[in-house]
Amino acid sequence: MNNKFDALKDDDSGDHDQDNCSPKDGEKEKNDEEEKDSNTTKTKVVVPGAGEHPLQYNYSFWYSRRTPGRPASTQSYEQNIKQIGSFASVEQFWRFYSHMIRPSDMTGHSDFHLFKEGIKPMWEDDANKSGGKWIIRLRKGLASRCWENLILAMLGEQFMVGEEICGAVVSVRFQEDIISIWNKTASDQATTARIRDTLRRVLNLPPNTIMEYKMHTDSIKAWEDFHGLVNASGGR
Amino acid sequence: MSMSSQKTTSQAIPTTRRVIINDAAHMPHDYSTTPGGTLFSTTPGGTRIIYDRKFLLDCRSSPLARTPPCCLPDIPGVTSPPSVTIKNDKAHPKKTVNNNSISPLADKSAGEDAQFEMDI
């Protein structure tokens, strides 16, 4: 059981790479949706202000960064991820976005996550556990523009896949940056194909851009396989 | 006989949403969109509030979009505290949040990343 919830990280996609010591179990995970964890900044429901343009969904920005100087395996992903805030309108989005650094200016091993309110940027969240993500690896210098285009398309409901979109991630890594968009149902090929085609359109990607779809169950398994050797409780 | 199978029931008119335009920039730029987000009743999953990229970018210049968010956590080098004056122009919207004080850490973690990438 521990292994399942320890497996919060993804090595290459944007989620995370750290953490194998989280003691969480399934029940705790569900409770968190109501009580919110300690690194959640606020619990009140946000609504569009007067004269603002409402979004189809409320969203939350999150930020995570691997702490320098500590081995990744001793950190909890959930402890490392910090909720920046939630918004319900176009104007509220810009307030946050304009007061946050651009992805290309982030340092180290950092991620921005933008997820629908109530969905944690974790594989194990109920909304994500049967899902997956499209991953696009970007050479250095493109992340800020691609991230902005990606999240504007998501907020503006350009993907046309109903309730399927969960959120988006930009990951700054050493030699490349990665953007990804998560959806609920990895087995729904019509949905994943539509997301892929929309990504190509809104990101204006070159035809030879490699796009990879990864199911979260595979991400979890890969994480467990990789960390099994160093995880003392890893009795799979 | 066939009449009965053709019968359709009436549907309520969708809820009206009133949109007030404060700025010419908020007007749509083509005939297929409506002010304040375009509502499509034929998208998968039902009616959605849809905005195109240009409309969203235009909203950025609105005074409502320029005020700092409340409760913005101060993450050094990542977020700018509300007290900091921000120039919200499109060219360099986030200059002031770029905190160079963490660059020594960046160098250190960059080394870690290289090792990590090899681990994969």
Side-chain angles (χ1 to χ4, degrees):
Chain A
M1 202 57 188
N2 270 349
N3 271 349
K4 175 169 182 282
F5 285 93
D6 286 348
L8 299 179
K9 271 46 304 105
D10 183 311
D11 296 329
D12 57 359
S13 66
D15 336 57
H16 337 326
D17 332 271
Q18 45 280 100
D19 161 357
N20 69 344
C21 58
S22 170
K24 281 188 170 310
D25 61 18
E27 284 64 37
K28 177 65 165 61
E29 194 67 21
K30 289 187 181 74
N31 290 341
D32 277 350
E33 301 213 339
E34 287 158 10
E35 67 193 31
K36 300 282 185 178
D37 25 348
S38 55
N39 56 9
T40 297
T41 52
K42 53 181 178 279
T43 57
K44 71 183 179 199
V45 176
V46 295
V47 296
E52 296 180 351
H53 296 86
L55 294 168
Q56 179 70 39
Y57 299 96
N58 290 6
Y59 290 84
S60 291
F61 269 118
W62 303 71
Y63 168 76
S64 59
R65 183 172 194 270
R66 221 171 93 206
T67 309
R70 296 178 60 197
S73 60
T74 64
Q75 297 175 35
S76 161
Y77 170 57
E78 205 166 7
Q79 288 169 357
N80 250 10
I81 187 164
K82 183 168 180 59
Q83 189 170 3
I84 294 173
S86 299
F87 56 87
S89 71
V90 179
E91 287 78 6
Q92 290 169 3
F93 158 73
W94 284 121
R95 281 179 217 160
F96 279 105
Y97 186 83
S98 299
H99 289 82
M100 292 160 52
I101 194 173
R102 291 166 73 86
S104 295
D105 294 330
M106 290 200 294
T107 57
H109 192 284
S110 305
D111 309 270
F112 276 132
H113 318 251
L114 181 60
F115 274 70
K116 286 177 181 172
E117 196 171 46
I119 301 178
K120 285 185 182 176
M122 299 168 53
W123 300 326
E124 294 80 2
D125 191 283
D126 281 346
N128 297 323
K129 62 187 180 187
S130 301
K133 64 195 169 190
W134 279 105
I135 300 167
I136 302 171
R137 297 167 187 276
L138 302 169
R139 70 171 191 269
K140 286 291 183 183
L142 297 176
S144 292
R145 179 173 62 84
C146 286
W147 170 242
E148 182 171 291
N149 287 337
L150 173 62
I151 61 178
L152 292 182
M154 181 173 74
L155 299 176
E157 287 291 321
Q158 297 292 311
F159 285 94
M160 303 280 190
V161 289
E163 312 278 316
E164 270 288 323
I165 301 294
C166 296
V169 184
V170 58
S171 305
V172 172
R173 296 298 182 258
F174 182 48
Q175 291 176 313
E176 64 181 359
D177 300 323
I178 303 163
I179 60 172
S180 57
I181 184 160
W182 294 26
N183 74 298
K184 277 183 185 164
T185 315
S187 59
D188 182 348
Q189 294 189 358
T191 287
T192 57
R194 186 180 286 228
I195 295 171
R196 178 200 59 212
D197 294 343
T198 307
L199 280 175
R200 282 217 180 95
R201 177 170 60 85
V202 301
L203 299 181
N204 201 18
L205 295 170
N208 61 344
T209 301
I210 296 172
M211 304 177 64
E212 174 191 359
Y213 192 81
K214 202 166 180 179
M215 301 196 311
H216 296 327
T217 50
D218 288 345
S219 299
I220 291 173
K221 184 170 187 311
W223 192 95
E224 288 178 344
D225 288 346
F226 178 72
H227 289 86
L229 293 175
V230 296
N231 185 352
S233 62
R236 295 185 309 279
Chain B
M1 196 156 60
S2 62
M3 289 296 288
S4 61
S5 64
Q6 296 287 338
K7 196 165 76 174
T8 56
T9 57
S10 63
Q11 302 269 321
I13 295 172
T15 307
T16 301
R17 206 157 59 88
R18 200 168 289 278
V19 176
I20 298 170
I21 303 296
N22 297 313
D23 189 316
H26 292 167
M27 285 301 289
H29 295 270
D30 56 65
Y31 291 123
S32 63
T33 57
T34 53
T38 299
L39 290 168
F40 283 102
S41 60
T42 54
T43 50
T47 302
R48 326 285 292 177
I49 304 174
I50 292 175
Y51 300 105
D52 65 23
R53 179 174 176 274
K54 180 165 183 15
F55 178 84
L56 292 170
L57 288 170
D58 287 343
C59 286
R60 188 173 197 173
S61 59
S62 159
L64 291 170
R66 287 167 171 260
T67 56
C70 69
C71 314
L72 183 70
D74 184 10
I75 306 174
V78 178
T79 61
S80 170
S83 58
V84 175
T85 302
I86 292 295
K87 288 196 179 74
N88 198 3
D89 63 288
K90 291 182 180 180
H92 301 287
K94 295 171 198 75
K95 273 300 193 211
T96 56
V97 301
N98 194 349
N99 185 344
N100 289 328
S101 66
I102 61 173
S103 52
L105 293 179
D107 293 340
K108 191 174 179 184
S109 62
E112 280 192 349
D113 286 347
Q115 191 166 20
F116 182 79
E117 296 292 339
M118 294 172 68
D119 286 341
I120 295 176

